[in-house]
Amino acid sequence: MTDWMTEPANWAFLVVAIPIVISAFRVVTTRNIVHAVLFLVLALAGSAALFILLSAEFVAWVLVLVYIGAVVVLFLFGIMITRAPIGYETSLDHANRLPAVLAAAATFLLTSWLSIEAFGDREISNVGSPTPTEIIGVGIIERFVIPFEAVGFILLAALIGGVTLARKDLTPAEEDEASSV
Amino acid sequence: MILNQFLVLASLLFALGVYGLLARRNAVAVLLSVELMLAAVNINLVAFEATLRSTFATGQIFSIFVITVAAAEVGIGLGIVLMIFRNRTSGNVDELDLMKW
């Protein structure tokens, strides 16, 4: 443990990890849903900082662009459009939270026990030099081109599905009116 | 840095996501908890990639795929929540009992 504390990267890890845990806790416990979204921003920014610490810079900036840039804005729009309760709200949680606490504790204990059993004190080797984006680009196009195409198809389907779900269904009379304009 | 500090942090994030998924009533808040769980998976993938150093940076590529799928999931999920609000004027998941008997 004393060896662990002397390494500067571990101090950086702690400085990032403790705010991540606190803000993730606030995401699932706060009574104000807008605050929950903003705490999610904090948690995601912290995980982007962890990615930089793990020399995955491209993934870190993709996370910032896609999550903090797009997904969070989508969430805020969703909250406003769906008239979700903005402001202090007591009915955001179920009345009985004990099963959720038990399930979460069991998940945490099982997965962390398994990873400690499996990996022990295994060191992360040669962090520090960032992964060149070229390697990721070549990997996507050469080795993982079929998953790449599948993900593109998923995005297209989500786009069409989102438009279809969110548009207002017109009655036949309204359709005639819309087409005559 | 050891691998396990990242894995334990990710499992803590995942457990918080599980708690939120089960304890929240509001559908938008449930989707927020799913995002937490996906972030935990991303931390795992990147930490394993930093340890194993594959030739194609597989862990990083798949975390990008996870981010993409999460974006699609939020789009569809919020569209569904929007429809539910429009039809039932409530976004609480325990009031969606149409398929229960």
Side-chain angles (χ1 to χ4, degrees):
Chain A
M1 198 63 192
T2 48
D3 287 349
W4 192 82
M5 292 302 269
T6 51
E7 202 177 327
N10 288 330
W11 286 94
F13 172 82
L14 281 183
V15 166
V16 175
I18 292 169
I20 288 179
V21 173
I22 293 171
S23 49
F25 183 74
R26 295 293 293 154
V27 169
V28 293
T29 53
T30 180
R31 298 229 170 273
N32 186 329
I33 189 142
V34 179
H35 289 180
V37 177
L38 297 178
F39 277 116
L40 183 74
V41 170
L42 260 183
L44 292 171
S47 67
L50 280 188
F51 291 172
I52 289 177
L53 206 62
L54 287 168
S55 71
E57 295 195 347
F58 181 70
V59 185
W61 294 119
V62 166
L63 190 88
V64 170
L65 279 175
V66 175
Y67 262 107
I68 302 174
V71 169
V72 167
V73 172
L74 201 61
F75 264 116
L76 290 174
F77 267 110
I79 289 168
M80 290 171 205
I81 290 173
T82 55
R83 299 181 305 256
I86 296 175
Y88 186 80
E89 179 62 48
T90 49
S91 69
L92 220 53
D93 286 350
H94 288 293
N96 185 7
R97 273 170 289 178
L98 185 65
V101 172
L102 289 180
T107 309
F108 172 66
L109 290 177
L110 182 68
T111 49
S112 56
W113 174 70
L114 279 177
S115 64
I116 287 170
E117 281 289 306
F119 297 106
D121 288 337
R122 181 157 180 179
E123 292 274 334
I124 293 179
S125 52
N126 65 10
V127 281
S129 57
T131 314
T133 310
E134 190 188 349
I135 291 181
I136 297 173
V138 168
I140 286 179
I141 293 301
E142 283 187 357
R143 178 72 183 80
F144 296 110
V145 65
I146 291 173
F148 177 65
E149 295 290 337
V151 157
F153 186 77
I154 287 174
L155 276 182
L156 178 69
L159 186 70
I160 296 172
V163 170
T164 315
L165 279 174
R167 74 191 261 270
K168 200 174 177 199
D169 282 328
L170 298 176
T171 58
E174 283 172 328
E175 259 174 25
D176 290 343
E177 202 176 306
S179 59
S180 65
V181 171
Chain B
M1 290 185 288
I2 60 173
L3 177 59
N4 258 326
Q5 67 198 52
F6 292 95
L7 298 188
V8 171
L9 173 71
S11 72
L12 188 56
L13 273 189
F14 192 87
L16 284 170
V18 168
Y19 168 76
L21 192 74
L22 295 173
R24 290 297 209 184
R25 270 177 90 219
N26 187 290
V28 179
V30 171
L31 283 177
L32 281 176
S33 310
V34 174
E35 294 305 312
L36 269 187
M37 292 159 77
L38 290 167
V41 171
N42 277 338
I43 291 176
N44 263 2
L45 283 171
V46 173
F48 277 120
E49 167 59 35
T51 314
L52 298 173
R53 291 275 163 186
S54 57
T55 29
F56 285 112
T58 311
Q60 295 187 23
I61 289 173
F62 269 83
S63 70
I64 291 173
F65 286 157
V66 170
I67 291 170
T68 318
V69 172
E73 173 253 320
V74 170
I76 290 291
L78 283 176
I80 292 171
V81 173
L82 188 63
M83 283 303 289
I84 291 167
F85 257 98
R86 206 177 270 159
N87 291 330
R88 312 206 56 172
T89 65
S90 158
N92 292 339
V93 285
D94 53 349
E95 288 164 26
L96 303 176
D97 49 4
L98 217 61
M99 293 172 86
K100 260 174 152 180
W101 60 285

